[in-house]
Amino acid sequence: MPFLSRDWRSPGEEWVKTEEGWEQKKILECGSSPPRSHNLNASLDEEDKERSSESPSSGSSDEDKENECVRGGQLAASRPRPIPSAGLAPRKAADAGGVGYSPPPHCQITVKPSREVGGYTGFSDVIKRLDFKSALHDARRFNYVCKLLELLINESVMSLSGTAQRVVFSLLEELAHTVSSNKSNLRLLNQMLDNLKTMLMEYYCFGQQLGSSPLWEQHHQAISRIRAVAGQIQLEGAPFELQRLPPECLREVVLRLNDHRDLASSAQAYSVLAEIAEESRIWRQLCQYHFSGQQIQSSLATAGPAAGTLATLAAHPVDWQTLYHRLRRLYGLREEYAEMVHLCRACRCLFWKCFGHPCTVNLARLSADERDRYHIPIPPGTFLAFFSL
């Protein structure tokens, strides 16, 4: 007759009930804030704390020690030990025993199972372990997460699993609350909602949407909540009008814009900015920022007879606006973010560079240049390519 009991060699996963459903504790342990659980294991946690406070007696039997190992699975999870690493920034202050230590957001990535590794990393798990929700409240990481959401909405959000779709819609809802509190980036939120509405209309067939009806109902409820938050946002008027500034100051403001979309939006706002946006100097600065000199020279050579070097470009009439759009279609725009997700080549771990990660390789003995070779920046498009999205 088989004997069924808990196996101390494999205690299993620990699950926590949150507002969004059941989640594994190892996925939520890297978050900036603890999950809002319903205290299902409160009594067991208290018992584990009592066991940890009492020192083991010297006369304990082998059976008692084995029972402690069996029931100590949650104790080990509740008291993680800090892992020393170069560049590691603890999220919380830890005492000498390491009880208050919280690991930074990071995720070991395994794109497909192998003989040594049985499972693989899902998209929703990576989003939760990298703590993208708190990243929306960080000014340095905000644009990175927004670009990732924009790519998902425009391309492949409905090709994700149901769990990943719920995670994406929860990120959109968190984005709406962030825009509401900061009173900024309202145009970005409205543009995402419009693109999301257009994308959802493509999945209508015979009067209803394809897929799970309860899942679609959750999506529509989330969209209704996001639109309610966006509708309550009231932008306060500026103490002065931008068009009252001198043209020299306005030109410097326009030169700081990122791409042609920002130029078009500013031109629609004020007529004086529309006149400045047509200047050749503005588009020349955009070309030189987004594209290299070799790319500009090759495009000029294929377009017609032009100067061979950038030093003599001023002697030839160049339509920089047309050249910019031609280069944009050929090479794409340059992507730069204040903070990006990086991939560690040593341990195949995704992490935010500002926080670091508990690496398996001691990088402290390496120089700064050698340490940077281990960390590869991952743009949003490449991030989605890890999961074939």
Side-chain angles (χ1 to χ4, degrees), residues 89-309:
R91 306 290 295 274
K92 298 178 182 178
D95 55 4
V99 176
Y101 174 78
S102 179
H106 68 281
C107 181
Q108 293 286 142
I109 180 170
T110 305
V111 294
K112 62 180 180 179
S114 61
R115 181 178 299 178
E116 294 79 11
V117 181
Y120 62 94
T121 308
F123 180 76
S124 59
D125 297 344
V126 176
I127 295 298
K128 293 174 184 177
R129 299 207 66 171
L130 290 178
D131 203 4
F132 273 38
K133 273 193 174 182
S134 66
L136 287 171
H137 300 277
D138 188 355
R140 294 174 57 85
R141 298 181 288 168
F142 179 83
N143 290 332
Y144 186 93
V145 182
C146 288
K147 182 62 176 180
L148 187 68
L149 288 174
E150 182 181 353
L151 292 176
L152 283 172
I153 292 174
N154 294 337
E155 297 178 6
S156 56
V157 64
M158 300 313 298
S159 63
L160 300 173
S161 63
T163 304
Q165 291 180 26
R166 285 194 291 267
V167 170
V168 172
F169 276 89
S170 64
L171 284 178
L172 286 173
E173 195 168 353
E174 193 71 23
L175 173 63
H177 289 291
T178 304
V179 172
S180 177
S181 60
N182 296 338
K183 298 294 189 298
S184 61
N185 298 295
L186 181 58
R187 182 183 64 87
L188 176 63
L189 178 61
N190 292 330
Q191 183 179 0
M192 285 189 181
L193 290 176
D194 294 339
N195 295 340
L196 185 61
K197 181 180 178 181
T198 304
M199 184 270 301
L200 293 179
M201 292 299 296
E202 298 177 357
Y203 286 85
Y204 269 97
C205 182
F206 298 106
Q208 60 182 2
Q209 290 171 315
L210 299 174
S212 173
S213 299
L215 183 62
W216 278 109
E217 183 65 25
Q218 294 178 14
H219 292 346
H220 288 303
Q221 292 177 1
I223 293 175
S224 300
R225 292 193 298 267
I226 295 173
R227 290 194 179 277
V229 173
Q232 296 176 357
I233 300 176
Q234 295 182 359
L235 300 180
E236 300 177 357
F240 65 94
E241 294 183 1
L242 188 64
Q243 58 183 353
R244 294 186 179 181
L245 292 176
E248 294 79 8
C249 297
L250 292 176
R251 189 172 290 105
E252 293 298 323
V253 171
V254 174
L255 284 173
R256 268 61 179 182
L257 297 180
N258 188 38
D259 52 23
H260 61 285
R261 292 171 292 187
D262 295 338
L263 276 177
S265 300
S266 62
Q268 294 176 359
Y270 300 105
S271 58
V272 61
L273 292 180
E275 297 177 0
I276 296 177
E278 295 296 328
E279 295 181 1
S280 179
R281 176 191 174 187
I282 305 298
W283 295 98
R284 183 183 64 187
Q285 292 284 353
L286 281 179
C287 288
Q288 294 177 355
Y289 171 74
H290 286 282
F291 312 105
S292 63
Q294 184 178 1
Q295 292 173 343
I296 295 176
Q297 293 179 25
S298 62
S299 181
L300 288 174
T302 56
T309 60

Side-chain angles (χ1 to χ4, degrees), residues 23-41:
E23 297 292 346
Q24 296 183 17
K25 188 175 181 179
K26 68 178 183 180
I27 294 178
L28 299 175
E29 64 182 359
C30 294
S32 59
S33 58
R36 288 170 284 185
S37 62
H38 295 275
N39 297 326
L40 298 179
N41 301 325

